[in-house]
Amino acid sequence: MPDIIVPALPNPVDYAVPGFILLILLEMLWARRNAPDKYEPNDTLSSLLFGFGSTVAGALTAGLVLALFNGAYAHRVATIPYIWWAWIACFVLDDLAYYWFHRAAHRIRWMWASHVNHHSSQHYNLSTALRQTWTGFIALSFIFRLPLMLIGFHPAMVLFVGGINLIYQFWIHTEVIGRFPRFIEAVMNTPSHHRVHHGVNPRYLDTNYAGVFIIWDRMFGTFTPELDEEPVRYGIVKQLGGFNLLWSVFHEWIGIAQDLWRAPWGSKLGYLFGPPGWTHDGSRDTSDSIKARLVDGHDAAD
Amino acid sequence: MPLPPELAMIDWAFVGRMGASLTGIGLLYFIAWKMGLGGDPRIADEADAQQKARDGLYGFEAVDTALDKAGMSALLRDAESRHALIFRVGNRFVARLVPGTAGARLDQALLTINLHEPDLPPVILNLGDKAQYWASGLRHIPDA
């Protein structure tokens, strides 16, 4: 297999961080004038420390992830050249991989234990975007990108477009922007679409998994529009009871361990790989059971 | 003077970025606090508490409701004698079903409920002359 020469690419997120801080500051100024309850200092601190810890955790596992990506690239079926159309193809396919990663992260408890960190704030502002997991490597999040290397995209290219994807997803975590013109809302993931994704209203649960392009949700049947008559309530089905950072980071992993300890042998795998909330005796709610009761059944939600 | 080998192994650029990040985090927290963001929301009335229980516990329909005098928390009961506790975290409210394993202590008008969750201190409700009635109700919740 021929090799291609790829120049050393920077991590675009490093360059975006000052912009993140500036935009959070501007949103805070907007909140002070228009809606002071949209920010809460302890919640903001918590979200930012999540982001800090995530960066440290990412640095600790970066070598392993890169080794795995290089290993996959060594077994590629083709060598995709380092030219302009490859960047576009890589960006779009990486976003498709992100969609499936994100969908799995909501539907498989092992992955949700990591991704829950991003959803555990009851606020939705730009600081929430930085509320990132510390345990993404343990949750095996990286495996969804491996097919890109197996196809033949160079790992450096995949990591770079992944950084761009992450930067795109920052600015959509806001209530400052309402909706864009219909043609943009039809194709792109927007603040409106992503507010729905962070919603705990029964009809909004487990929808709109897109990173950059909302078309994936429309294609795979997981799209739900934001309804004016149903304002989004944010967070998780069982909201956190405080701001203890370590509990916030690890609570679902601890929950898995406790459930595994107590569960009958025949149902232990369900607590690991079933949907969040799954129990062998049906004693807890999953997003499906909530939707069945309150959306499909037109109960209290209506 | 060259750095000792153990220090030369450290990625000082990364350490510098992390130091700058922590400084930025502290600054943003301070600014949010200084701006007075967050506010001081309270539970407005019984209907508000019931809506919070309905939303937070996905269909909990209260038949009886007691509000904390300061509006910081509320205790509700449904037709199946399940009890729901609403309490404030930051400037948002959280709902929990009260399990039979919860601790409840009555001190005149103050009812203290301990859900024994790691990140949650006991919730103290000032229920006035209703406190004894609700404390009695909590004693009859079956163990989860």
Side-chain angles (χ1 to χ4, degrees):
Chain A
M1 197 71 67
D3 279 329
I4 59 167
I5 297 168
V6 175
L9 295 168
N11 180 359
V13 179
D14 289 345
Y15 292 89
V17 168
F20 291 166
I21 292 172
L22 183 66
L23 285 170
I24 289 172
L25 206 52
L26 289 172
E27 194 184 43
M28 280 181 182
L29 288 167
W30 172 89
R32 184 172 69 159
R33 179 180 283 261
N34 299 288
D37 70 309
K38 299 297 182 190
Y39 267 90
E40 204 281 332
N42 289 311
D43 174 82
T44 302
L45 179 65
S46 188
S47 291
L48 297 175
L49 288 173
F50 264 103
F52 178 80
S54 176
T55 306
V56 174
L60 292 173
T61 55
L64 273 171
V65 172
L66 194 58
L68 286 163
F69 280 13
N70 284 330
Y73 188 65
H75 294 89
R76 63 194 181 276
V77 295
T79 300
I80 295 174
Y82 192 77
I83 55 177
W84 68 269
W85 60 260
W87 284 98
I88 296 170
C90 189
F91 186 80
V92 173
L93 289 175
D94 178 68
D95 195 51
L96 174 61
Y98 178 84
Y99 169 87
W100 284 106
F101 147 71
H102 198 187
R103 189 164 170 172
H106 279 260
R107 302 296 297 175
I108 299 169
R109 194 181 182 196
W110 181 261
M111 299 187 72
W112 173 245
S114 162
H115 187 61
V116 65
N117 294 167
H118 180 60
H119 285 269
S120 61
S121 170
Q122 289 199 61
H123 291 78
Y124 187 80
N125 54 46
L126 291 174
S127 77
T128 314
L130 303 182
R131 196 178 178 97
Q132 296 290 329
T133 183
W134 297 12
T135 55
F137 183 79
I138 298 167
L140 307 177
S141 310
F142 56 88
I143 62 172
F144 288 82
R145 284 207 164 105
L146 291 177
L148 293 170
M149 267 66 70
L150 292 171
I151 291 170
F153 289 104
H154 194 279
M157 189 185 268
V158 174
L159 289 169
F160 188 87
V161 299
I164 300 290
N165 193 309
L166 200 66
I167 293 168
Y168 179 88
Q169 290 189 49
F170 172 76
W171 72 274
I172 60 177
H173 290 84
T174 186
E175 292 185 291
V176 175
I177 298 169
R179 287 189 195 129
F180 284 97
R182 193 177 292 181
F183 69 95
I184 294 177
E185 297 281 344
V187 179
M188 306 301 292
N189 195 12
T190 62
S192 174
H193 297 327
H194 205 59
R195 282 194 287 272
V196 166
H197 175 69
H198 275 255
V200 290
N201 315 45
R203 77 171 72 247
Y204 294 154
L205 286 171
D206 284 356
T207 57
N208 296 5
Y209 298 114
V212 173
F213 300 115
I214 198 70
I215 53 170
W216 309 124
D217 285 287
R218 295 183 189 278
M219 281 171 63
F220 299 120
T222 49
F223 175 72
T224 295
E226 184 180 29
L227 303 176
D228 291 334
E229 63 271 26
E230 186 155 351
V232 184
R233 290 179 283 105
Y234 302 103
I236 50 180
V237 167
K238 187 180 179 185
Q239 306 283 9
L240 291 177
F243 296 108
N244 180 319
L245 184 65
L246 290 177
W247 176 255
S248 300
V249 170
F250 296 109
H251 70 99
E252 189 66 20
W253 292 109
I254 293 168
I256 288 177
Q258 289 171 335
D259 286 339
L260 280 179
W261 180 256
R262 295 183 194 128
W265 278 103
S267 56
K268 287 188 191 293
L269 283 178
Y271 285 97
L272 280 174
F273 303 115
W278 180 89
T279 52
H280 68 285
D281 56 3
S283 58
R284 296 179 205 154
D285 268 327
T286 63
S287 62
D288 290 337
S289 69
I290 290 170
K291 279 170 179 278
R293 195 170 70 240
L294 297 174
V295 182
D296 303 335
H298 301 288
D299 193 344
D302 290 338
Chain B
M1 192 172 72
L3 288 170
E6 60 273 22
L7 291 182
M9 287 171 59
I10 295 172
D11 181 351
W12 289 105
F14 179 76
V15 172
R17 281 204 305 276
M18 292 301 99
S21 293
L22 277 179
T23 307
I25 288 167
L27 203 61
L28 284 172
Y29 171 72
F30 176 75
I31 292 168
W33 173 76
K34 199 72 181 164
M35 282 183 181
L37 298 177
D40 184 21
R42 307 294 172 107
I43 300 171
D45 50 28
E46 289 191 1
D48 186 23
Q50 288 159 10
Q51 186 61 49
K52 284 177 166 51
R54 195 176 294 125
D55 289 342
L57 296 170
Y58 294 98
F60 184 95
E61 292 298 330
V63 295
D64 203 358
T65 305
L67 286 188
D68 166 62
K69 295 284 182 202
M72 297 289 282
S73 51
L75 195 54
L76 306 95
R77 184 173 56 81
D78 71 0
E80 297 168 35
S81 292
R82 297 184 306 167
H83 285 65
L85 179 64
I86 311 291
F87 54 95
R88 204 172 90 173
V89 175
N91 68 344
R92 296 288 188 262
F93 287 87
V94 170
R96 291 278 194 276
L97 279 178
V98 181
T101 51
R105 196 177 69 240
L106 178 66
D107 181 6
Q108 297 186 15
L110 301 182
L111 179 59
T112 303
I113 300 175
N114 190 347
L115 296 179
H116 303 301
E117 290 187 20
D119 62 338
L120 178 61
V123 178
I124 303 170
L125 301 97
N126 183 347
L127 300 181
D129 56 9
K130 289 182 178 173
Q132 192 163 6
Y133 166 78
W134 284 92
S136 169
L138 288 174
R139 280 188 216 110
H140 297 100
I141 302 174
D143 285 350

